[in-house]
Amino acid sequence: MFEGNLAEKGEIAIPDIEQEVFTMFLRYLYTDTIELTVNTATSVLSAARKYMVDRLVKECETFLKSSLTTDNVCLLLEQAHIYTEESIREDCVNMIARSPEEVLKSTSFVDLCGVCVKSIAESVDLAVEESVVYEAVIRWSEAECGRQGLELTDTNRRNVLGDILYTVRFPIMDTKYLLQHVITRDVLTTEHLVSVMRFSRTTKHIRVQNSA
């Protein structure tokens, strides 16, 4: 790429690596040292994989594993999604499973892309009240409306959520919460709402029969 008879001449464009990251990467190749941060480590890792610098790959992975907290797990999950870093994504998923409520209520949750939000909300390992999941995705929808320049209405919240909304397990939600905070709004369509209420009544009826 840089040397030999086939070396490229003039300015070389590397579109998939940010300038700051590539500078750090080159400095590491010459000095064998690098100062990683949570904001840059995943992109440096991606560059290290691309150019097969195994020592740097291990250094980035070690740094990310030791730096992962509930405060930055959403940021790192998003970066892992962007750079297709499956091992880092799995570490993030495990962290979220250990502290789901803290992550769902964090300010950084609303900065995730829709794909990452959906992957969290639909996880079977998410041991948390369904009302917490609902409130988290509603907060995300409000942030997404802002990013898209949309008026903050329940219809727009529903539209930006799309399939994410259906990852919330409304039928197992606390009935009192459902009546006070979900049914009173227009986030769910009438058809979806009727389906939720029918399932909720059926579940309650089965519980009564089993307790008799």
Side-chain angles (χ1 to χ4, degrees):
M1 180 177 181
F2 297 110
E3 299 177 352
N5 295 330
L6 298 179
E8 298 178 43
K9 307 297 183 181
E11 185 174 313
I12 300 172
I14 307 177
D16 56 343
I17 302 177
E18 297 173 7
Q19 182 177 344
E20 178 188 4
V21 171
F22 195 66
T23 299
M24 294 172 64
F25 176 71
L26 287 178
R27 187 178 293 119
Y28 178 84
L29 295 181
Y30 283 104
T31 67
D32 208 32
T33 60
I34 192 167
E35 293 184 11
L36 296 169
T37 68
V38 171
N39 290 321
T40 61
T42 308
S43 47
V44 172
L45 172 59
S46 178
R49 285 197 196 283
K50 178 176 181 177
Y51 294 104
M52 295 179 287
V53 184
D54 293 339
R55 297 191 323 276
L56 184 54
V57 168
K58 291 180 180 178
E59 191 165 339
C60 289
E61 288 182 335
T62 300
F63 173 83
L64 287 166
K65 288 177 186 294
S66 64
S67 302
L68 189 61
T69 68
T70 53
D71 290 329
N72 62 33
V73 68
C74 288
L75 168 65
L76 292 178
L77 177 65
E78 184 70 20
Q79 291 183 350
H81 169 68
I82 292 170
Y83 294 105
T84 324
E85 289 294 339
E86 187 60 27
S87 65
I88 302 304
R89 191 196 71 82
E90 289 180 2
D91 289 336
C92 290
V93 168
N94 291 334
M95 169 68 74
I96 294 168
R98 290 195 296 272
S99 305
E101 186 163 353
E102 190 174 349
V103 173
L104 288 169
K105 291 183 176 180
S106 68
T107 56
S108 58
F109 180 82
V110 300
D111 297 324
L112 289 167
C113 70
V115 173
C116 289
V117 170
K118 187 173 184 288
S119 71
I120 294 174
E122 69 184 1
S123 172
V124 295
D125 298 321
L126 206 62
V128 69
E129 290 290 334
E130 217 58 33
S131 58
V132 176
V133 180
Y134 173 72
E135 289 175 3
V137 300
I138 288 297
R139 282 175 44 243
W140 181 86
S141 74
E142 292 170 353
E144 185 63 17
C145 281
R147 287 188 284 266
Q148 295 187 25
L150 299 173
E151 184 182 355
L152 208 55
T153 66
D154 281 345
T155 298
N156 284 338
R157 288 183 180 93
R158 180 171 66 246
N159 289 338
V160 298
L161 280 168
D163 289 342
I164 295 172
L165 186 59
Y166 301 106
T167 64
V168 181
R169 301 164 181 85
F170 292 103
I172 66 171
M173 188 178 282
D174 176 74
T175 303
K176 184 177 179 181
Y177 183 92
L178 186 67
L179 293 172
Q180 292 182 349
H181 300 283
V182 179
I183 291 179
T184 54
R185 302 182 63 167
D186 294 324
V187 175
L188 297 182
T189 62
T190 302
E191 182 181 1
H192 191 186
L193 195 55
V194 169
S195 176
V196 168
M197 294 306 297
R198 183 183 296 120
F199 188 93
S200 182
R201 289 195 193 98
T202 302
T203 303
K204 186 180 294 185
H205 180 65
I206 292 172
R207 285 175 180 167
V208 170
Q209 285 184 325
N210 289 338
S211 63

